Amino acid sequence: EAQVTQNPRYLITVTGKKLTVTCSQNMNHEYMSWYRQDPGLGLRQIYYSMNVEVTDKGDVPEGYKVSRKEKRNFPLILESPSPNQTSLYFCASRRRHQETQYFGPGTRLLVL
Amino acid sequence: GQQLNQSPQSMFIQEGEDVSMNCTSSSIFNTWLWYKQDPGEGPVLLIALYKAGELTSNGRLTAQFGITRKDSFLNISASIPSDVGIYFCAGQLSTGNQFYFGTGTSLTVIP
């Protein structure tokens, strides 16, 4: 089954404790993105990647890091999480030149 | 970043009623997209629009790409309970690889 998977689905952590949210897709898509969803703000793009080893900042990259060492994986790293990073995070992937993005199920993060 | 204003923010309607929502931007977009998000899940693409004036249907859903290329509209006819969810518009500029999302319209359908 074609899908985007994220882990963990739920995470509670404390300020400053490094964490990684994994994202994996099995559709051989070139493009992958991370979004955060906050009430009243919709989805905002954090980072995106156009292919292996090619990443770029989205609208809200501060406090986040990403890497794209393999085509299927695009982890999101929070080196020193803060409470304002409490949010619902989505990973998405798509083919180059196509608009259809496939979203993962989301990761709900609470930073205390 | 780009700002997409989506309205209304929320809607409560009776089953069987028609629904209209819209999205406006200060920028010209090359592509407009409409997504639906069910509770606890990621957004799923409903309709994609590629040129100004385009009107596209997907079952009971109809979306239009505004003539000015700065707005888009989504209509749902004869709503049913499974239409409940959050609807997002999204736009893509002619340059760049980013998609910009609207703030969402939360739809509740009362049986």
Side-chain angles (χ1 to χ4, degrees):
Chain A
E1 180 191 351
Q3 59 183 354
V4 178
T5 56
Q6 295 179 226
N7 282 291
R9 293 291 312 276
Y10 304 91
L11 181 59
I12 301 174
T13 189
V14 295
T15 299
K17 186 176 181 183
K18 181 179 178 179
L19 66 92
T20 299
V21 184
T22 64
C23 173
S24 183
Q25 51 95 5
N26 62 1
M27 296 169 278
N28 202 36
H29 286 169
E30 292 83 9
Y31 281 64
M32 297 186 75
S33 295
W34 275 103
Y35 294 87
R36 61 179 288 174
Q37 182 178 6
D38 301 291
L41 297 176
L43 285 92
R44 293 178 294 167
Q45 195 170 37
I46 304 169
Y47 268 96
Y48 61 96
S49 169
M50 290 161 282
N51 216 323
V52 175
E53 303 290 3
V54 183
T55 63
D56 207 349
K57 295 177 180 178
D59 280 337
V60 287
E62 295 77 20
Y64 304 95
K65 281 176 54 177
V66 293
S67 68
R68 188 95 182 270
K69 293 185 170 57
E70 305 163 284
K71 197 172 187 179
R72 63 183 291 126
N73 296 323
F74 190 43
L76 179 69
I77 302 155
L78 284 72
E79 294 269 4
S80 183
S82 62
N84 65 11
Q85 292 178 298
T86 292
S87 188
L88 178 59
Y89 291 87
F90 287 102
C91 180
S93 73
R94 66 181 176 97
R95 286 206 186 285
R96 186 176 12 184
H97 303 312
Q98 289 191 2
E99 293 75 24
T100 305
Q101 289 193 88
Y102 295 85
F103 283 82
T107 295
R108 192 168 287 281
L109 172 66
L110 173 61
V111 182
L112 300 173
Chain B
Q2 301 297 322
Q3 194 139 17
L4 299 187
N5 298 309
Q6 195 170 339
S7 66
Q9 191 172 8
S10 62
M11 302 180 76
F12 293 80
I13 61 167
Q14 251 354 95
E15 183 176 356
E17 288 183 357
D18 296 344
V19 172
S20 290
M21 59 189 80
N22 68 77
C23 199
T24 60
S25 167
S26 56
S27 300
I28 291 175
F29 283 104
N30 213 40
T31 303
W32 281 97
L33 307 161
W34 284 92
Y35 286 84
K36 183 192 177 203
Q37 183 180 27
D38 289 327
E41 299 188 13
V44 173
L45 183 67
L46 298 172
I47 292 179
L49 303 156
Y50 301 101
K51 54 182 184 179
E54 180 181 353
L55 189 70
T56 297
S57 293
N58 178 5
R60 293 177 296 106
L61 277 61
T62 302
Q64 184 162 24
F65 193 138
I67 294 290
T68 65
R69 297 173 64 192
K70 293 184 177 181
D71 55 9
S72 181
F73 309 87
L74 176 70
N75 295 311
I76 306 173
S77 62
S79 59
I80 59 178
S82 62
D83 290 334
V84 165
I86 303 176
Y87 291 80
F88 290 102
C89 61
Q92 185 183 30
L93 298 171
S94 57
T95 58
N97 298 299
Q98 288 184 257
F99 289 88
Y100 300 93
F101 281 77
T103 49
T105 294
S106 175
L107 178 63
T108 301
V109 180
I110 304 164

